[in-house]
Amino acid sequence: MITDQLSTRKKTLSTFTALACASLLCATAHAQQASGEEAAGKASEVSQQPNRATKRAALEEVVVTARRREESLQTAPVAVSALTGDDMRQRGITNTGELAKSVPSLEISQGRASQIYIRGVGQRSGFARVDPTVGVYLDDLFIPRSDSQLLDTVDIENVQVLRGPQGTLFGKNTTGGAMVLTLAKPGDTQEGYVDLTLGSLGAQTLRAAWTQPVTDDLSVRFAINNRRRDGFTEDVVSGQKGGSVDRLSGLFQTRWLASDSVTVDTLLFLSDRDDTLEHNNCRINNDQALFLEGLYVMWPGDTDPSQPTAYRENCEANSEERLGDLKSNTGAYPNLNWDQQQAMIGATVEWLYSPDHQIKGVFGARKAEKGALVTSDQDGGPGNWSESHNHGDSEQKSLSAELQFSGGFFDERLRYTGGLFYMLEENFEPFTLVSGFGGLDLKTIGELGAGQVPTRPTPGGTVPFVGAVTGNPIQQNEFDLTNNTLAAYVQSSFDITPMLELTLGLRWTSENRESNLVLTQADTTAIENRMRSAGLVGACLGPELPGVCQSNVPWAADPVGQISALFPDANGDGIDDFPMNDSPFLDQSKEKTFSKVTPMASLSYTIPGLGDGFLSSVTLYTTYSDGFKSGFFEPRVEDGLQQVEPEEVKNLEFGYKIEALERSLRINGAIYTMEFTNQQLIQVQTDSAENLAVVFDNAGNSEIEGTEVEVQWMPSANMLVNFSASYNDYTFTEFSDRDLLQASLGNNVVVDRTDEPFPVSPETTVSLGVQYTWDTTVGSFTPRIDASYKSEIYLGLDRGSFEAYERNKELAGDDAKTLVDLRFSWSSLDYRTSVAAFVKNATDERYLPGAASVGSSLGTFFSFYGEPRTYGVELRYEY
């Protein structure tokens, strides 16, 4: 249980922490000799840069709002990483997706869907029916859908990444954590900047912002970000360049000081994204998968059922080994254009109605539309054999309102934050599952009918039968979703002594989910008639197996290929044009309210009387927190909507925050253990008719034990070192599944999957950044290097993928990788003008930011590479 003593595996975590701390102590001993200057005075903004005005080798204070009030990072009992806009620019971070290079335990995958994981807790899908596990907030406004969470850094003042469940303060209850972005606000002086970047792959980026006071009480601020870049992958058939970027976003803010006690902020955010996603490659990882020799399925191009090769050849036609580096063959119509528009408005009213108490109201509305897009190419090759598409425009709408109360009593000895949160979401999401046609030999059909595992057909085969592999060649789903979220929360901190703080929190969450699914299938009667008219089939197998017919064409003449050719992709949308039924196969609605009360408690102690000597400050804390993510309804082919239970994470954490060497060294870390219940995980399942589907389901229970450390060190006034590391041990304690081959025979055979690793989550991450500034009579020169390491990552969905991963990590995972970024910048004496040259991924490392292996049924590992080495120059002027 969560309150038990840490298990023996904690020795690994403790050893990791001890080694990190030992290496840091060695560094501090050297630093103590090198730095004897006074500590710098504290600043009131998030920054880790040297105070060049006084030349003191000291870190400035970092002020965070992780608990909805301003407090020092070093005394806040929360595992949080904080970076300013300047920090991100100096590290070359241009969008929130790149934060994973610097923040421990953070993993962000990009591709067909944005995937944010913290400490192994994340969501592997962009479907609107599934809530993200990591909440992303823009000026307190919650961004509810994962395909809009990864933002370009448009006029960001700072970003804070909170690790662990955030159940009692933020708008939505989350199991993984929160990413909080704060915008630069309009001030009372005229100021702004222009930032221009030119680089390889035709990269062009323009960022600019301007603050204009209108009256003594009213100011406005405009910001724009226009980013373009050519693609770096090439499809050898269509000639399309994948990985291109074409984004335009604008921001308009106002700040009105309505009175001495009332401030009103508004924002309008608009964005237009017209990217082309990276092209994928394919590898076969299981010859015994159902779509290969598990069922001896024949595909277009196969002519001998004893030696089916077309499926393999389709995949290998899109393999890196055959095509070369960054080349792809995904067919004539890849359908990879990410076309999305988003608009968001917000208003925040703060009323300091007494010196010690405040009311804050946050109101927002959001609308987004996204065009057609392939979400998964399961067969991995140019054939339209097994794919998922958003076949039309998706729409997302949301309204939110939050009322916060905060303040303090007894000279701030007792502090509180409480509030109410409400959100209404309406989402429309169309998606199509394509399975196309396959063939089975009569001998194989007889063995399946007898409940036997199929044996290899005789050379040349007997009688061919052709039809849909999964019951119907195409299934069009249209989802209408309405979500109502209501929550009430309170969190209070009490100073038992000036150095000992107790924090208690409680949150009640109610999530009402209403789902309507309309499922329309291909017209099997029209399909049969077209096949008969072409003289390709004879008898069909009637109502039990609609659209499955005996072929008049022998195996040697490729009957599956000839029949598939009757249904081409005439309109070029990437989906073969099958005749569709006029009426839906299923029109179903379900509604349920998921509710939960989640508590938290924290006890922190700051060691008194340290001053600014070797140890300047030490804060120790322990925290218990509980996170909750709503359940939802998942379509499971012909069974319709099936309920997926809510997931819950319980976290017990021990943390330390240390400043030493006259505040030139900062070491923050945590050791934690988490219980993960009913993890919502993508799996390969079957419906009651044994149709295969990649769906969400609950994976049972698991445990996560880990440790993190972050270090900032200024050995001199001109040098800054950033270091972070994390180690997480992920273990399933309850995870069972069905054997898919036995399921296809009508047998329910349970498979224990508790020995599998967590997907998408590296066990170890390490990052190191070093910069040194030379001050000269013509300005300051600063070289910087950033290196980030992540251990190997498992990317499978099913048991067959894990077995392939055990044989060869490259069949279902990504190797350990180290990415190196270089930057050399010059700043004028007044710091208004700067020029920087940069190289990203300097070693030209190949890595997989998005991939999935489906080994049991499909037998394929489809993946795409991240950005290769890029370089450029950035010019910035502040005025």
Side-chain angles (χ1 to χ4, degrees), residues 149-178:
Q149 287 186 326
L150 298 184
L151 303 170
D152 288 334
T153 53
V154 184
D155 210 23
I156 297 296
E157 181 176 274
N158 66 72
V159 59
Q160 300 170 55
V161 179
L162 287 68
R163 298 183 293 276
Q166 305 297 319
T168 61
L169 280 183
F170 287 89
K172 283 281 285 191
N173 208 328
T174 56
T175 50

Side-chain angles (χ1 to χ4, degrees), residues 384-685:
N384 295 344
W385 295 351
S386 181
E387 298 179 351
S388 303
H389 294 252
N390 287 121
H391 64 262
D393 291 340
S394 302
E395 297 180 359
Q396 303 170 4
K397 299 177 183 178
S398 63
L399 295 171
S400 64
E402 186 170 2
L403 192 61
Q404 301 173 16
F405 305 89
S406 60
F409 297 97
F410 313 118
D411 294 326
E412 295 291 318
R413 187 175 177 183
L414 174 65
R415 299 166 300 280
Y416 70 91
T417 300
L420 300 170
F421 174 80
Y422 174 75
M423 172 170 277
L424 168 65
E425 272 195 276
E426 294 180 348
N427 299 314
F428 173 73
E429 185 172 63
F431 67 95
T432 294
L433 304 177
V434 181
S435 59
F437 291 116
L440 289 176
D441 189 77
L442 178 61
K443 175 177 178 291
T444 303
I445 292 177
E447 291 171 332
L448 290 172
Q452 300 173 1
V453 176
T455 58
R456 187 177 298 276
T458 56
T462 58
V463 179
F465 283 81
V466 178
V469 176
T470 58
N472 198 280
I474 187 170
Q475 310 212 33
Q476 290 185 346
N477 301 262
E478 293 189 346
F479 245 116
D480 276 298
L481 306 160
T482 302
N483 303 334
N484 280 278
T485 301
L486 182 63
Y489 58 88
V490 62
Q491 183 167 302
S492 180
S493 299
F494 177 66
D495 293 336
I496 300 173
T497 72
M499 300 301 167
L500 183 63
E501 179 192 74
L502 174 66
T503 301
L504 299 174
L506 195 68
R507 179 191 182 93
W508 169 78
T509 302
S510 176
E511 302 266 7
N512 180 266
R513 296 302 175 99
E514 183 179 348
S515 300
N516 177 256
L517 170 65
V518 177
L519 168 60
T520 305
Q521 297 182 329
D523 185 342
T524 53
T525 300
I527 288 174
E528 291 177 5
N529 290 338
R530 189 178 299 185
M531 292 190 296
R532 286 194 181 95
S533 297
L536 298 179
V537 300
C540 296
L541 299 186
E544 291 189 4
L545 293 172
V548 178
C549 304
Q550 178 181 336
S551 174
N552 293 332
V553 178
W555 283 125
D558 183 15
V560 182
Q562 290 194 45
I563 289 174
S564 297
L566 300 176
F567 306 92
D569 177 14
N571 60 3
D573 63 354
I575 305 173
D576 291 339
D577 298 324
F578 297 98
M580 303 299 294
N581 278 312
D582 293 330
S583 57
F585 172 81
L586 183 71
D587 188 344
Q588 184 182 26
S589 295
K590 285 193 175 182
E591 181 179 3
K592 186 176 178 63
T593 298
F594 302 91
S595 299
K596 184 71 176 179
V597 174
T598 51
M600 71 80 58
S602 176
L603 187 66
S604 65
Y605 180 71
T606 300
I607 299 176
L610 295 179
D612 287 333
F614 176 77
L615 282 180
S616 306
S617 71
V618 177
T619 296
L620 307 174
Y621 71 88
T622 180
T623 296
Y624 170 82
S625 57
D626 195 348
F628 163 81
K629 184 160 81 83
S630 174
F632 57 96
F633 297 103
E634 175 78 353
R636 188 168 296 183
V637 198
E638 295 187 8
D639 291 345
L641 296 171
Q642 301 295 306
Q643 183 173 313
V644 177
E645 298 299 327
E647 68 178 29
E648 183 178 358
V649 174
K650 297 180 179 180
N651 176 54
L652 179 61
E653 181 172 316
F654 304 92
Y656 55 91
K657 299 192 173 186
I658 302 169
E659 282 190 337
L661 301 180
E662 298 180 347
R663 301 189 187 276
S664 67
L665 176 67
R666 183 174 293 149
I667 307 173
N668 295 344
I671 300 173
Y672 45 86
T673 179
M674 300 195 293
E675 284 187 359
F676 200 170
T677 304
N678 283 331
Q679 181 178 1
Q680 296 169 359
L681 198 66
I682 288 185
Q683 304 171 45
V684 182
Q685 299 284 0

Side-chain angles (χ1 to χ4, degrees), residues 610-861:
L610 295 179
D612 287 333
F614 176 77
L615 282 180
S616 306
S617 71
V618 177
T619 296
L620 307 174
Y621 71 88
T622 180
T623 296
Y624 170 82
S625 57
D626 195 348
F628 163 81
K629 184 160 81 83
S630 174
F632 57 96
F633 297 103
E634 175 78 353
R636 188 168 296 183
V637 198
E638 295 187 8
D639 291 345
L641 296 171
Q642 301 295 306
Q643 183 173 313
V644 177
E645 298 299 327
E647 68 178 29
E648 183 178 358
V649 174
K650 297 180 179 180
N651 176 54
L652 179 61
E653 181 172 316
F654 304 92
Y656 55 91
K657 299 192 173 186
I658 302 169
E659 282 190 337
L661 301 180
E662 298 180 347
R663 301 189 187 276
S664 67
L665 176 67
R666 183 174 293 149
I667 307 173
N668 295 344
I671 300 173
Y672 45 86
T673 179
M674 300 195 293
E675 284 187 359
F676 200 170
T677 304
N678 283 331
Q679 181 178 1
Q680 296 169 359
L681 198 66
I682 288 185
Q683 304 171 45
V684 182
Q685 299 284 0
T686 60
D687 64 7
S688 57
E690 310 306 340
N691 294 311
L692 291 171
V694 179
V695 297
F696 269 94
D697 204 353
N698 296 108
N701 301 323
S702 54
E703 294 178 353
I704 304 170
E705 295 180 340
T707 183
E708 301 160 344
V709 63
E710 287 186 284
V711 179
Q712 295 162 324
W713 177 36
M714 286 181 59
S716 71
N718 295 81
M719 188 173 183
L720 179 65
V721 179
N722 303 102
F723 172 83
S724 71
S726 65
Y727 175 81
N728 290 282
D729 186 6
Y730 313 107
T731 304
F732 287 107
T733 57
E734 180 185 338
F735 187 12
S736 61
D737 203 354
R738 297 179 69 193
D739 182 288
L740 291 182
L741 177 58
Q742 291 298 324
S744 67
L745 302 175
N747 304 321
N748 186 21
V749 176
V750 176
V751 177
D752 182 9
R753 298 181 61 182
T754 55
D755 57 344
E756 297 183 20
F758 270 30
V760 195
S761 304
E763 286 191 344
T764 303
T765 70
V766 180
S767 71
L768 176 66
V770 181
Q771 70 178 48
Y772 188 88
T773 299
W774 282 281
D775 293 323
T776 72
T777 57
V778 295
S780 299
F781 295 87
T782 305
R784 181 179 176 96
I785 181 171
D786 285 282
S788 62
Y789 166 84
K790 293 183 184 293
S791 60
E792 62 191 28
I793 300 176
Y794 174 61
L795 296 165
L797 297 179
D798 57 8
R799 187 63 182 181
S801 296
F802 174 65
E803 293 170 351
Y805 187 71
E806 289 285 273
R807 296 193 305 272
N808 181 351
K809 298 293 189 292
E810 295 183 356
L811 293 177
D814 191 13
D815 289 336
K817 58 182 177 289
T818 300
L819 301 181
V820 178
D821 296 342
L822 305 174
R823 188 177 179 91
F824 186 85
S825 61
W826 167 84
S827 296
S828 62
L829 293 175
D830 61 3
Y831 298 106
R832 289 194 172 190
T833 304
S834 63
V835 180
F838 62 87
V839 182
K840 291 189 176 183
N841 190 7
T843 60
D844 205 23
E845 181 86 3
R846 294 291 179 265
Y847 62 98
L848 306 179
S853 167
V854 185
S856 296
S857 57
L858 303 174
T860 56
F861 180 36

